[in-house]
Every structure is written in structure tokens, then in C-alpha cells.
Amino acid sequence: GSSHLNTSPPRSLADALLAPTGKMAAMITVSTAVSVHGARRAVAAGIAEAEKSGFKVTVAVCDAGGHLIALERMDGAMPASTEIAAGKARSAVMFARETRLLEAGVNGDKSGGTERAALLSSGYVLMEGGIPIVDGKERIIGAVGVSGVKPKEDAAVAAAAAAAAAAAAAPGLEALSGRGAPTQPGLVGRRA
């Protein structure tokens, strides 16, 4: 089954990070629809994207519950990238947003840093490179995490992987491009 995300007004930074806003709050539900096939397709697309740029990364995919279902560490990628990529994927699905948005929230100077300390010690990886996978019905079905290169490069590889997983979940759904287009399948919190 699926469950709706919390739409109550946030009471703290942690609540604000967890609560979706606007159109996303009204439309996105969590489902367990990501398949092993979709996860493998995402990993392959991420690895192909990384190879085009000569990156050495790890690509991880988790389901809507944050459970790892596929992971590949490229030859030459740092060993720690496996845990970091899996953590980014889990964090993206559990917070229902890209981890770059979470990283920005904890790197600011809020209330003397107490929110940052609480979130950073929570076991989540709040660094750019984690992107939720969204199906054609605006449901979060999993997430991709990438680690091994610079934050924006991790995110670019993760975007390619998430788009491949979303396409596998909704055959025939074309990825959208261009500014002002609806949210691209596979991406949450950013425009195509």
C-alpha cells in the first residue's frame, strides 16, 4: 500500500526538512513499487553516466522503505563510497527529497547549531548526491545515492540513474526536458 506524506506545518528545522511543501505535499505518496529490474537499470545508467566523464563512483538504489536493493562500486572508487552512496539513497527516500536540499538545511547557522547536531548524529547522510525515484503517478518508489566525486558530479550521476529507474517503473513515460517543464520523473524538488 501507500501512505501520504506529512503535510502539517513544521514546528522545527527537522520538521521543515521532513515536511513536503506546495504541489509536492498534495501529490506525492510513498509506495514500494521500485523493482529489482528498475534498480539494476538505474545502477547501469549511473555507471554509464560516470564512465562518460571518467568518474569512479558507487551507485546505490534503495526501495521506498530505505532498504538497499542494488549497489555497484566501480573499480577505483574509494571503498568508503559504498556506505556513503547507500546512506545518500536511504536519506533521500526517508526525507522524501534530494539530499542537496538537506545538506543546505544543516549547513546554515540555525539556533546555534542544535538542529545540525541532531540531524548529523541521526545516521542519515545529508550530502548532495541522493535523489528520490518518482514514478509517473508522482509516488516516491525508492532513491538513488552516488558517491565518489564532487557533490554536483555525484548528483548528475544520480539524476541519470533515477531517471532510468523511473522509466523502468513507468514504461513509455518519456523524460521531460527544458525549463518550466513539469517535474521530471525520477526527480523530486527540482525542475527538469
Side-chain angles (χ1 to χ4, degrees):
S2 62
S3 61
H4 294 282
L5 298 173
N6 181 8
T7 58
S8 301
R11 294 180 298 246
S12 68
L13 175 62
D15 287 345
L17 289 172
L18 290 169
T21 58
K23 184 177 177 183
M24 189 167 68
M27 296 180 61
I28 296 179
T29 59
V30 177
S31 170
T32 57
V34 71
S35 67
V36 171
H37 168 75
R40 288 179 181 152
R41 186 170 170 180
V43 168
I47 297 297
E49 183 70 20
E51 287 175 337
K52 283 195 271 185
S53 300
F55 300 154
K56 303 296 183 192
V57 300
T58 296
V59 179
V61 180
C62 68
D63 64 16
H67 305 287
L68 187 64
I69 56 175
L71 180 140
E72 184 173 333
R73 180 171 61 96
M74 296 174 68
D75 291 342
M78 62 182 166
S81 66
T82 58
E83 291 183 32
I84 296 167
K88 287 178 181 183
R90 183 173 187 272
S91 298
V93 80
M94 299 305 282
F95 283 92
R97 64 194 62 226
E98 290 185 38
T99 55
R100 72 179 173 84
L101 301 171
L102 302 170
E103 180 177 20
V106 297
N107 282 340
D109 185 25
K110 310 280 191 236
S111 302
T114 56
E115 290 90 348
R116 291 190 310 234
L119 285 169
L120 292 175
S121 65
S122 68
Y124 293 102
V125 179
L126 308 180
M127 300 186 309
E128 188 168 4
I131 299 179
I133 301 164
V134 180
D135 70 7
K137 296 180 182 177
E138 295 294 315
R139 294 177 301 188
I140 295 173
I141 60 172
V144 174
V146 174
S147 179
V149 286
K150 294 177 183 175
K152 296 226 181 288
E153 296 165 344
D154 283 347
V157 172
L173 186 64
E174 298 294 325
L176 303 172
S177 62
R179 291 276 171 215
T183 302
Q184 180 177 351
L187 307 180
V188 170
R190 83 185 214 190
R191 305 299 271 179

